[in-house]
Amino acid sequence: MEKEMVVVLDFGGQYNQLIARRVRECNVYCEVHPYSLGIERLKDMGPKGIIFTGGPNSVYGDGSPRCPEEVFGLGIPILGICYGSQLMAHMLGGKVKTAPVSEYGRTEVEVGRESVLFSNVQEKTVCWMSHTDYIEKAPAGFKVTAHTPACPVAAMEDPARGLYAVQFHPEVMHTKEGMRMISNFVRGICHCKGDWRMDSFVENAVRQVREKVGKGRVLCALSGGVDSSVAAVLLAKAVGKQLTCVFVDHGLLRKNEGDQVEAVFGDKGIYDLNFVRVNAQERFYSRLAGVEEPEEKRKVIGEEFIRVFEEEARKIGAVDFLVQGTIYPDVIESGLGKSAVIKSHHNVGGLPDCVDFKEIIEPLRMLFKDEVRRAGIELGLPEHLVNRQPFPGPGLGVRIVGEVTADKVRMVQDADAVFREEVAKAGADKGLGQFFAALTNMRSVGVMGDGRTYDYAVALRAVCTSDFMTAEAAQIPWEVLGKVAGRIVNEVKGVNRVLYDCTGKPPGTIEFE
């Protein structure tokens, strides 16, 4: 059965991936493509609906991105968001200009509930605005369906042509009823059935991999993270012992994590595959000696990872396929419409030039992270692995501010283990998107017993987020933080001070470096 699809045309908006994720939450398959996608290619894809993203440009500016005019005559429903709404107005004869008052942040919008787009939405609803231009006059044939005191055309539509536009961002969590609006568009306007399911994806992926590989040999760089673990299990289910997984332990994982990975995938694990663990901790620490700048650390870790992997691959010999855990955000961020290449330790980077293989297999390349987790559950991966918190590719290398040493890794591993243990024990982990300990580069005077100390400060970080694009600092109960701080300064040698990071994203980031 051919799956239904909604296409997101990207005009440079920061929420392009999020729009696609929201559509998929409606159980409708969705892909992101550049706004320059040709009209014939678009027609060949046969989408049930099209969504225009936001973007940083002004539609009346020189060289501003725009789609082919023919797209409006395809008879396919279109939803324009922010820049996408302004583009629709501009190209169809409306008027767009600089707004007298810019709107940014949570804004109360009054909507017309007679619109299918706003079916079952409150008449006054909170939406997320982010614009300096606005639609002053809607094109002929359009009806204004929402407004604010500062924005006369917060939404407009021409149902006869299937054209809908909103100035705000329904895809972000700050728009309280945004998911309902997207569902109304996808299910109520595009008439999608919503029959895209993860169990059918896994079944089809396993079958396709088995057909592609045949009797060939497959090599996988297993990091122990969610993406590579799910990819490895999918391949193991498809081809069994034809798969060899190489796990490079760079010494920058969380406490005991390397052993946990080996317990799942090693000889005593439950999967039928070949597993090789490379304990390269000292090698990575040596390469990182004296390196303090964050991007340089990332580069060193990524390069060394590839070198170690290449050496192990040579020992294994020629293979037919190289599998990697590329997921859809990697594909989008490395260039829409381009093939993703090997990741330099979780970031799209350079292909190992000393690994002898014929073809890359990327079984997860069209899935978002939450979908990868669901695929992992379908494949029977342990929940503690599938639901593991996001972890940076360079590992603790970017949770240690400044130079990385074995002693600093030990400090942050121990502090992080205490933090995670106590938060979970108190039940305070419910609803947290991510929480961890990082080691600052600050040393300060303290008192331990009868003596003075001059040791490091640990920073605790916990955030609430649904999409990791925006986040708020979590309000961990004070008694929990107090217990964590007491245990860390008493149990972690070299640490005498504990701080809690109250910064949201933006202006901060979730990780430290």
Side-chain angles (χ1 to χ4, degrees):
M1 182 180 67
E2 196 69 27
K3 59 177 176 284
E4 296 176 320
M5 178 193 294
V6 169
V7 169
V8 173
L9 291 183
D10 179 36
F11 291 89
Q14 61 180 318
Y15 300 129
N16 55 6
Q17 295 179 33
L18 191 52
I19 296 170
R21 282 184 56 192
R22 295 292 183 251
V23 172
R24 291 192 186 184
E25 285 172 23
C26 300
N27 294 319
V28 174
Y29 184 69
C30 183
E31 289 184 5
V32 182
H33 291 275
Y35 69 88
S36 56
L37 185 71
I39 194 72
E40 292 304 319
R41 173 77 177 109
L42 185 60
K43 286 195 289 188
D44 288 344
M45 295 170 73
K48 298 275 285 187
I50 299 169
I51 300 178
F52 294 173
T53 74
N57 301 89
S58 292
V59 295
Y60 48 78
D62 292 338
S64 59
R66 60 182 59 204
C67 60
E69 287 191 21
E70 298 95 316
V71 74
F72 297 109
L74 293 177
I76 300 170
I78 300 173
L79 173 63
I81 296 175
C82 197
Y83 177 90
S85 70
Q86 296 166 11
L87 181 68
M88 186 182 292
H90 182 70
M91 293 183 68
L92 296 177
K95 189 172 183 180
V96 179
K97 60 183 290 188
T98 302
V101 179
S102 298
E103 287 182 306
Y104 182 82
R106 292 180 177 89
T107 306
E108 188 175 77
V109 177
E110 191 169 334
V111 305
R113 289 188 294 174
E114 68 279 4
S115 168
V116 176
L117 190 65
F118 299 125
S119 177
N120 295 315
V121 173
Q122 294 295 315
E123 188 174 352
K124 291 185 177 180
T125 186
V126 174
C127 300
W128 183 261
M129 290 283 194
S130 179
H131 66 99
T132 53
D133 290 342
Y134 78 148
I135 300 169
E136 185 181 56
K137 182 183 177 183
F142 277 78
K143 176 184 177 182
V144 176
T145 54
H147 66 273
T148 73
C151 186
V153 187
M156 64 179 190
E157 63 181 48
D158 183 347
R161 289 193 285 172
L163 304 178
Y164 298 80
V166 294
Q167 179 60 68
F168 50 84
H169 289 275
E171 69 274 21
V172 303
M173 65 178 183
H174 304 301
T175 297
K176 288 188 175 180
E177 299 178 271
M179 190 60 210
R180 183 168 295 159
M181 299 173 196
I182 291 174
S183 177
N184 286 341
F185 176 72
V186 171
R187 305 291 288 272
I189 294 170
C190 301
H191 303 296
C192 292
K193 299 183 184 71
D195 54 9
W196 190 63
R197 297 285 191 274
M198 191 49 62
D199 55 352
S200 59
F201 168 83
V202 168
E203 183 181 330
N204 289 335
V206 169
R207 176 179 48 79
Q208 289 167 4
V209 166
R210 189 176 291 133
E211 290 173 357
K212 176 184 280 286
V213 171
K215 297 183 181 301
R217 298 178 66 199
V218 186
L219 179 64
C220 174
L222 178 66
S223 71
V226 176
D227 303 336
S228 69
S229 296
V230 173
V233 172
L234 194 152
L235 263 293
K237 189 168 183 178
V239 300
K241 286 286 189 180
Q242 293 167 244
L243 170 68
T244 298
C245 290
V246 175
F247 169 49
V248 177
D249 187 347
H250 51 31
L252 300 170
L253 299 172
R254 286 166 284 210
K255 190 171 184 177
N256 300 324
E257 204 161 49
D259 294 338
Q260 292 167 6
V261 172
E262 185 168 6
V264 172
F265 292 98
D267 293 338
K268 296 180 181 179
I270 59 175
Y271 298 108
D272 186 30
L273 52 80
N274 300 302
F275 177 81
V276 178
R277 178 175 179 176
V278 186
N279 292 310
Q281 296 92 331
E282 295 305 321
R283 178 169 170 173
F284 278 84
Y285 297 156
S286 175
R287 282 290 316 275
L288 287 165
V291 180
E292 297 186 2
E293 202 276 323
E295 287 308 308
E296 183 62 21
K297 284 193 286 185
R298 288 177 181 273
K299 183 178 178 182
V300 167
I301 294 167
E303 286 179 349
E304 195 62 20
F305 179 87
I306 289 177
R307 297 290 84 77
V308 175
F309 181 71
E310 285 175 342
E311 291 170 14
E312 292 304 314
R314 287 194 202 99
K315 297 175 186 176
I316 295 167
V319 295
D320 300 286
F321 300 92
L322 179 68
V323 62
Q324 60 182 85
T326 307
I327 65 174
Y328 201 33
D330 300 323
V331 176
I332 295 171
E333 289 162 11
S334 62
L336 285 172
K338 298 177 184 176
S339 258
V341 292
I342 191 77
K343 291 191 282 185
S344 176
H345 207 65
H346 294 256
N347 296 307
V348 174
L351 187 69
D353 51 16
C354 298
V355 179
D356 184 12
F357 67 95
K358 298 175 184 175
E359 191 175 342
I360 291 175
I361 295 178
E362 299 168 313
L364 311 177
R365 77 185 317 267
M366 300 310 291
L367 298 186
F368 288 104
K369 177 72 78 174
D370 55 325
E371 295 168 332
V372 173
R373 294 185 196 279
R374 297 210 308 270
I377 295 294
E378 288 289 336
L379 287 161
L381 266 169
E383 272 200 46
H384 72 84
L385 197 157
V386 173
N387 294 321
R388 182 174 287 167
Q389 292 183 27
F391 192 62
L396 299 179
V398 292
R399 289 184 184 173
I400 296 171
V401 180
E403 183 184 18
V404 176
T405 67
D407 200 38
K408 287 182 177 180
V409 170
R410 188 260 316 157
M411 287 184 227
V412 76
Q413 283 179 333
D414 290 347
D416 182 70
V418 168
F419 186 34
R420 287 186 289 122
E421 178 186 333
E422 291 297 337
V423 168
K425 191 187 297 182
D429 56 338
K430 305 298 184 292
L432 296 184
Q434 197 170 349
F435 61 102
F436 58 88
L439 188 68
T440 75
N441 206 22
M442 181 185 83
R443 301 181 72 184
S444 62
V445 174
V447 178
M448 297 284 281
D450 294 325
R452 286 162 61 87
T453 61
Y454 188 63
D455 286 330
Y456 286 97
V458 158
L460 305 178
R461 179 80 162 138
V463 298
C464 297
T465 179
S466 62
D467 52 37
F468 293 90
M469 294 183 174
T470 61
E472 296 177 350
Q475 297 184 31
I476 303 290
W478 184 251
E479 58 270 22
V480 176
L481 289 177
K483 189 169 184 180
V484 171
R487 281 193 59 190
I488 288 175
V489 296
N490 281 295
E491 298 175 22
V492 182
K493 184 180 177 183
V495 175
N496 68 356
R497 194 175 295 267
V498 177
L499 313 172
Y500 187 68
D501 184 354
C502 297
T503 316
K505 176 188 179 182
T509 57
I510 294 176
E511 292 291 344
F512 271 64
E513 290 191 335

